[in-house]
């Protein structure tokens, strides 16, 4: 006898568990299915534990440069990689346990196992073939197991996994994905990172700060290629000052594995091949949706480029079936999944005036050193769209707080529609810009004009003053540069 629910969510990552909570808040009988670890990749192997690693690297950087702040540290600053990793894994476990608590608090049933759709409103849950993360927080008391479950609405939130290139597949020893890169048994002396998107460049930044000789290979003409070209170029220069080697318009054609090293044959843009031998290599060439073994084909669910096709409310082409988060396509960001979850649940629950997802207002953040953050159109995209624009820029080197922090290398860039004053895009590189970007995100959502931003009082001294100065600069009114 199948157990019936109003909503069943497959996957407990940022999209899945937020969908479950919102559904429960709306009075819907809800269950969430998980096969490996509550809280998904983001909290267990992605967003949160990587920031723990980067924080350790940041503290080490400041300790090594203590003299720049008038401080003296006797002796050599050394990294205890086991302790660094243990701290990161402990934080992951804490997040994992937190989601379990939220499921109990909101009376969401947790079903442990692997789900497969047999009908648009029915799943069969089998025993999981996946090994839970270590350490694994205790499962909630309201956990159920194998069996058949039905629901009026089923939401697929199964996330994504690292993409592999033929012939350069990760082996867990010499070629790492982000899984292995987060838990190195020892620190390599040299590292090649294939791909300079957010994942690749964050790991490149972490390992370089920890003293590793890092080479980044990117097939496109810029690091972090989705970012504004000017911001990307600024960041690249800072990475190179730190000793990172960056090869653009280059690709790893093949690899040769040694006993404890790997040699990459890198094809450069001039056609020449450079052989680079390193201790370890990270494959960070993107991710692909987890759409396999869900029974999608049998139901005729439309997929495209390894992801489930949805409308702006998370609906698939099959009635009663929805998808959110990474499995539903780019941008593959945790905060996009969370917002998508709320939109999807509120729409299926019949709430009025549910706003559809506007992907132009989704911020992107990369937690390298220096940090990079953006929202909206790049300058190139705005011009390609035929818009008549004004562009403002303001450097951190002219900001008092940045100078006091010893973090004066940064830039804020804003793009406005010349006719209407609409803020079309904002792009930032520098200290704490991942925290600052939300000011521009709020402004865009409120359809704020340049005049309103100019009339807004920003506190002094703060890094946020660079934001207002960038707006002023777009209109020839910058005060401090």
């Amino acid at each position: 006898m199948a157990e019936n629910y109003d909503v069943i969510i497959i996957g407990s990552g940022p999209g899945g568990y937020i969908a479950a909570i919102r559904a429960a808040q709306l009075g819907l009988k809800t269950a969430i299915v998980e096969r490996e670890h509550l809280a998904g990749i983001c909290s267990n192997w992605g967003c949160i534990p990587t920031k723990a690693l980067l924080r350790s690297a940041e503290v080490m950087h400041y300790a090594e440069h203590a003299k720049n702040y008038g401080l003296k540290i006797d002796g050599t600053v050394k990294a205890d990689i086991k302790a660094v990793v243990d701290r990161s894994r402990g934080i992951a476990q804490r997040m994992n346990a937190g989601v379990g608590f939220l499921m109990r608090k909101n009376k969401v049933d947790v079903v442990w196992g692997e789900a497969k759709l047999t009908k648009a409103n029915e799943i069969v849950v089998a025993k999981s073939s996946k090994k839970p993360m270590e350490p694994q927080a205790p499962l909630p008391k309201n956990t159920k197991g194998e069996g058949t479950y039905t629901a009026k609405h089923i939401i697929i939130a199964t996330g994504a996994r690292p993409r592999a290139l033929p012939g350069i597949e990760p082996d867990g020893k010499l070629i790492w994905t982000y899984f292995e890169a987060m838990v190195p048994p020892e620190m390599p002396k040299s590292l090649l990172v294939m791909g300079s998107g957010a994942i690749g460049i964050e790991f490149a930044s972490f390992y370089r700060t920890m003293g590793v000789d890092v080479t980044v290979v990117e097939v496109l003409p810029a690091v972090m290629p989705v970012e504004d070209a000017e911001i990307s170029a600024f960041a690249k220069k800072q990475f190179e000052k730190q000793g990172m080697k960056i090869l653009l318009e280059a690709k790893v054609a093949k690899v040769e594995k040694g006993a404890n090293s790997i040699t990459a044959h890198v094809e450069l843009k001039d056609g020449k091949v450079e052989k680079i031998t390193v201790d370890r290599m990270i494959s960070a060439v993107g991710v692909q949706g987890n759409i396999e073994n869900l029974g999608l084909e049998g139901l005729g669910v439309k997929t495209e480029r390894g992801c489930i096709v949805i409308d702006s409310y998370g609906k698939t082409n099959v009635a009663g079936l929805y998808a959110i988060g990474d499995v539903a396509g780019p941008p593959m960001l945790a905060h996009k999944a969370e917002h998508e979850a709320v939109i999807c649940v509120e729409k299926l629950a019949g709430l009025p005036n549910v706003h559809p997802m506007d992907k132009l207002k989704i911020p992107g953040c990369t937690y390298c050193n220096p940090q990079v953050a953006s929202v909206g159109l790049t300058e190139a995209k705005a011009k390609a769209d035929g818009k008549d624009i004004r562009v403002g820029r303001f450097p951190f080197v002219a900001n008092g707080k940045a100078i006091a922090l010893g973090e004066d290398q940064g830039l804020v860039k804003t793009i406005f529609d010349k006719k209407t004053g609409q803020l079309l895009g904002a792009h930032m590189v520098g200290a704490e810009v991942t925290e600052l970007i939300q000011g521009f995100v709020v402004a865009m959502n409120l359809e704020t004009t340049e005049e309103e931003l100019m009339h807004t009082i920003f506190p002094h001294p703060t890094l946020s003053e660079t934001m207002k100065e960038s707006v002023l600069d777009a209109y020839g009114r910058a005060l401090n540069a």
Side-chain angles (χ1 to χ4, degrees):
M1 189 76 177
E3 187 165 358
N4 188 53
Y5 291 87
D6 296 315
V7 179
I8 292 175
I9 300 105
I10 305 174
S12 70
Y17 87 77
I18 291 295
I21 292 171
R22 188 67 187 116
Q25 287 176 342
L26 293 172
L28 302 174
K29 184 182 179 184
T30 306
I32 192 164
V33 185
E34 179 54 57
R35 67 179 184 175
E36 194 168 2
H37 36 230
L38 287 174
I41 291 296
C42 175
S43 293
N44 291 287
W45 292 101
C47 320
I48 305 302
T50 55
K51 303 313 161 283
L53 294 178
L54 287 161
R55 178 62 167 170
S56 293
E58 181 183 32
V59 172
M60 183 170 176
H61 168 78
Y62 285 128
E64 289 179 333
H65 296 82
K67 65 179 182 180
N68 294 344
Y69 299 88
L71 304 174
K72 183 178 180 181
I73 296 179
D74 292 324
T76 304
V77 178
K78 294 182 180 179
D80 180 344
I81 189 59
K82 183 181 184 304
V84 169
V85 169
D86 285 349
R87 176 178 181 270
S88 173
R89 301 316 306 149
I91 289 168
Q93 184 189 23
R94 182 174 172 182
M95 300 299 296
N96 178 276
V99 171
F101 165 77
L102 289 171
M103 296 302 97
R104 290 194 303 275
K105 176 185 175 184
N106 289 279
K107 296 180 173 58
V108 174
D109 286 344
V110 175
V111 181
W112 199 258
E114 297 191 18
K116 186 170 185 177
L117 289 152
T118 48
K119 301 174 186 176
N121 69 331
E122 180 182 86
I123 62 170
V124 172
V125 178
K127 184 178 180 180
S128 177
S129 62
K130 296 287 185 177
K131 183 181 178 182
M133 62 166 277
E134 295 294 340
Q136 172 71 53
L139 292 174
K141 291 180 180 178
N142 55 330
T143 299
K144 304 190 177 200
E146 300 156 63
T148 301
Y149 300 84
T150 60
K152 184 178 179 181
H153 308 282
I154 295 179
I155 302 173
I156 301 170
T158 49
R161 64 185 185 277
R163 188 183 300 277
L165 297 182
I168 317 177
E169 294 89 353
D171 59 12
K173 181 188 176 186
L174 297 175
I175 304 178
W176 293 344
T177 64
Y178 55 76
F179 290 102
E180 294 82 20
M182 289 191 61
V183 289
E186 58 185 14
M187 192 62 71
K189 290 185 173 61
S190 56
L191 176 73
L192 185 145
V193 179
M194 183 171 62
S196 73
I199 293 173
I201 213 68
E202 284 185 8
F203 278 115
S205 189
F206 167 72
Y207 278 98
R208 181 68 204 115
T209 304
M210 299 298 275
V212 178
D213 183 11
V214 174
T215 300
V216 177
V217 177
E218 170 58 55
V219 71
L220 294 174
V223 293
M224 295 178 287
V226 301
E227 300 295 343
D228 183 88
E230 195 171 351
I231 298 298
S232 172
F234 189 104
K236 176 177 178 286
K237 193 173 292 185
Q238 297 304 310
F239 298 151
E240 289 174 332
K241 281 183 181 179
Q242 295 162 16
M244 207 181 288
K245 182 179 180 181
I246 298 176
L247 301 175
L248 301 177
E249 295 180 86
K251 68 176 182 178
V252 178
K254 68 175 184 177
V255 295
E256 295 174 351
K257 295 181 180 180
N260 199 33
S261 66
I262 187 165
T263 299
H265 294 240
V266 180
E267 289 185 4
L268 306 176
K269 61 181 178 181
D270 60 6
K272 294 179 180 178
V273 175
E274 182 177 344
K275 293 183 180 181
I276 303 173
T277 299
V278 292
D279 292 340
R280 297 292 182 269
M281 177 174 159
I282 295 177
S283 177
V285 291
V287 297
Q288 61 190 73
N290 292 321
I291 62 172
E292 298 83 6
N293 305 315
L294 289 170
L296 302 181
E297 301 87 351
L299 296 177
V301 178
K302 186 177 180 181
T303 62
E304 191 175 278
R305 295 183 179 180
C307 295
I308 298 172
V309 177
I310 60 169
D311 69 5
S312 53
Y313 295 101
K315 292 182 181 179
T316 70
N317 63 309
V318 176
L321 199 59
Y322 311 79
I324 58 174
D326 288 0
V327 76
M332 293 177 172
L333 302 167
H335 45 279
K336 173 255 194 182
E338 291 182 355
H339 194 70
E340 215 164 29
V342 174
I343 289 172
C344 179
V345 170
E346 291 185 349
K347 188 68 173 179
L348 68 83
L351 267 64
N353 305 316
V354 179
H355 291 279
M357 174 68 78
D358 183 352
K359 291 187 177 181
L360 270 179
K361 293 174 183 174
I362 300 174
C365 298
T366 306
Y367 299 83
C368 44
N369 179 26
Q371 294 179 6
V372 175
S374 59
V375 65
L377 299 178
T378 64
E379 181 179 358
K381 185 66 170 68
K383 288 178 177 177
D385 287 352
K387 297 184 182 296
D388 192 11
I389 60 174
R390 287 180 178 270
V391 179
R393 301 171 181 84
F394 194 80
F396 273 39
V397 75
N399 174 263
K401 180 67 178 292
I403 295 169
L405 291 175
E407 302 284 359
D408 65 353
Q409 293 303 298
L411 175 69
V412 176
K413 179 176 180 178
T414 45
I415 301 162
F416 291 89
D417 185 292
K418 188 178 286 187
K419 183 182 293 185
T420 65
Q422 179 188 4
L423 177 62
L424 300 174
H427 308 273
M428 315 168 79
V429 55
E432 301 303 331
V433 296
T434 57
E435 299 289 343
L436 297 177
I437 192 64
Q438 192 59 20
F440 284 131
V441 178
V442 171
M444 289 181 70
N445 271 277
L446 295 176
E447 299 181 353
T448 306
T449 66
E450 92 291 352
E451 184 176 355
E452 290 164 329
L453 286 168
M454 288 179 186
H455 287 150
T456 300
I457 299 172
F458 285 68
H460 174 81
T462 64
L463 296 174
S464 69
E465 291 173 279
T466 61
M467 299 164 67
K468 181 174 181 177
E469 289 281 4
S470 177
V471 175
L472 291 169
D473 182 65
Y475 291 83
R477 293 175 53 182
L479 299 170
N480 284 285

